[in-house]
Amino acid sequence: NFSTIITTNKMTGLKMIPSISKEDYTPSLSIEESVDTIAVMLDQQSTTYKCCDYLANNDSTYSMSTPSLTRRNQFHQHKPHQSGCVDRLCREKMTQWCYQVTDFCKFRREAVAISISFLDRFLSSSSPRAQKALQSRKEYQLASMTTLYIAIKMFEPMVLDASLLATISQGCYDEKDINDMEKDILHDLGWRMNGPIVQDFIRHFLVFLPLSACTHDDEVDTVLLDIAKYQAEIAVCDYDLSLMNQSDIALAALLNSIEGIDEAVFSGRSRFEFLLSISDETGLNPFSYDVNVARARLLELFKKNSGYELPQIANLTPVVRSRKEFVIQKPKRLNSTGSTSPVSVTKHPNERKHSQTAKCA
């Protein structure tokens, strides 16, 4: 029953859907085109399309953006909050419901990432309708449904009719409710509906993958794509990750995926050439503190959703488990002789292109 979505205690984890063809997901772009696109997306994620911590007053769950990495284990310790208010669990369940709808209707899962980005930005606004949605779970459900409806209408080849969505709600909402909410959301977002999602960054980062990466196995790029894309999909469900930069989450997903491939298949030299190319061309730091935090969280979500841990076997760019260790941790790289040597990690992860923090041979 639709009306019981938010009050249900258990929902199944999201399952991975392997790519049928990598050409359907990765763009046929030059490095120069990807560099230009990434620069635009970086500006968008930090300005127009950035959302705020709109649940700060509704629940007291620790945020992943807090200084201590040890708080990661306290994410789900909810404190009492006002009855009926929306919290992180509400958001997670509605996101999972959106995935159920898109999977059943054979829409792309990216539609969910886009719709939840609409929802987060809408609820970050100070409009009366957004504030009402934060105080009423029924209104929040309507907003969640409507942002999915908008995303599908804008980015999918088939349209999900408002009357069908009303039918799915089993009488909770009618077509007018959905259309009225759509108008309010579009107005509050200022009709800015084309922001970046994590999958966009992953696609363009993979353009920097060197040809040498596929020397021993021509499926390396497909494996990286599938595992990183899956992490991007499960990241949408997590409120704490929604407060981070999409570019950091994309880098985290790729680093976790890289660590899951044996060095005999994907050489250390090739993987560091890949990461250094991203750093040089975009100014992003794959070894930043925020990327490290996102990696740890994605690994937890991967296990929660899939039922097994994502192997981290290469041990060339390991996840660091505390702030102190992060400052002194020295990920390994290959030098000219083929042996490993340390790479320094910056104490100031916000420094960008003019302060390189990792060098490889």
Side-chain angles (χ1 to χ4, degrees), residues 59-71:
D59 74 47
S60 302
T61 308
Y62 285 112
S63 170
M64 206 168 73
S65 60
T66 52
S68 176
L69 275 170
T70 60
R71 290 190 176 182

Side-chain angles (χ1 to χ4, degrees), residues 21-291:
S21 171
K22 65 185 177 184
E23 286 76 16
D24 294 335
Y25 190 80
T26 54
S28 299
L29 297 174
S30 66
I31 288 180
E32 290 75 15
E33 289 173 317
S34 284
V35 168
D36 289 341
T37 302
I38 290 170
V40 172
M41 294 194 297
L42 290 174
D43 181 68
Q44 288 178 316
Q45 75 172 3
S46 62
T47 54
T48 307
Y49 292 91
K50 191 175 184 63
C51 69
C52 69
D53 185 3
Y54 59 83
L55 291 182
N57 296 325
N58 280 18
D59 74 47
S60 302
T61 308
Y62 285 112
S63 170
M64 206 168 73
S65 60
T66 52
S68 176
L69 275 170
T70 60
R71 290 190 176 182
R72 290 187 304 102
N73 296 325
Q74 298 174 302
F75 284 161
H76 302 295
Q77 294 182 6
H78 290 262
K79 295 181 180 180
H81 52 76
Q82 186 177 350
S83 178
C85 290
V86 171
D87 58 17
R88 295 161 193 252
L89 192 58
C90 296
R91 183 185 179 280
E92 179 182 353
K93 289 179 177 178
M94 284 308 303
T95 304
Q96 291 174 334
W97 179 84
C98 289
Y99 275 125
Q100 291 173 1
V101 172
T102 54
D103 286 353
F104 181 80
C105 297
K106 307 301 182 184
F107 294 128
R108 295 178 307 150
R109 283 183 170 179
E110 287 186 39
V112 177
I114 295 168
S115 72
I116 298 302
S117 73
F118 292 164
L119 180 66
D120 287 337
R121 288 171 49 225
F122 168 63
L123 296 175
S124 296
S125 72
S126 57
S127 74
R129 193 73 191 265
Q131 296 307 306
K132 181 180 178 181
L134 285 172
Q135 301 303 316
S136 167
R137 295 185 178 188
K138 184 176 180 180
E139 190 79 357
Y140 177 76
Q141 284 185 161
L142 175 59
S144 303
M145 290 175 59
T146 305
T147 56
L148 179 63
Y149 166 67
I150 296 171
I152 290 172
K153 183 161 63 171
M154 291 182 63
F155 297 101
E156 291 296 314
M158 293 178 60
V159 176
L160 184 65
D161 193 78
S163 60
L164 176 59
L165 206 56
T167 301
I168 294 174
S169 76
Q170 299 182 359
C172 289
Y173 315 102
D174 58 28
E175 190 172 349
K176 184 178 183 302
D177 292 329
I178 295 168
N179 289 329
D180 288 346
M181 178 62 84
E182 179 186 16
K183 293 175 184 177
D184 288 338
I185 290 173
L186 292 172
H187 177 269
D188 290 342
L189 295 183
W191 293 85
R192 293 182 173 91
M193 313 298 289
N194 200 30
I197 57 174
V198 175
Q199 289 92 327
D200 292 328
F201 280 103
I202 291 173
R203 269 195 294 266
H204 288 283
F205 287 154
L206 284 173
V207 171
F208 300 107
L209 192 68
L211 294 177
S212 60
C214 299
T215 300
H216 301 290
D217 189 334
D218 59 8
E219 294 296 316
V220 166
D221 53 350
T222 304
V223 171
L224 285 177
L225 170 63
D226 282 346
I227 300 177
K229 183 177 68 171
Y230 178 63
Q231 290 175 83
E233 291 166 355
I234 58 180
V236 178
C237 299
D238 191 82
Y239 178 72
D240 292 298
L241 286 174
S242 74
L243 300 176
M244 300 188 71
N245 288 331
Q246 293 94 335
S247 57
D248 289 334
I249 300 171
L251 285 172
L254 283 170
L255 280 165
N256 285 345
S257 303
I258 289 171
E259 276 294 304
I261 301 177
D262 192 276
E263 190 178 355
V265 177
F266 186 11
S267 72
R269 187 178 302 278
S270 292
R271 65 184 73 200
F272 276 104
E273 182 182 341
F274 175 44
L275 296 175
L276 188 61
S277 180
I278 292 174
S279 179
D280 283 344
E281 297 292 347
T282 70
L284 294 170
N285 180 5
F287 302 111
S288 74
Y289 175 72
D290 286 344
V291 171

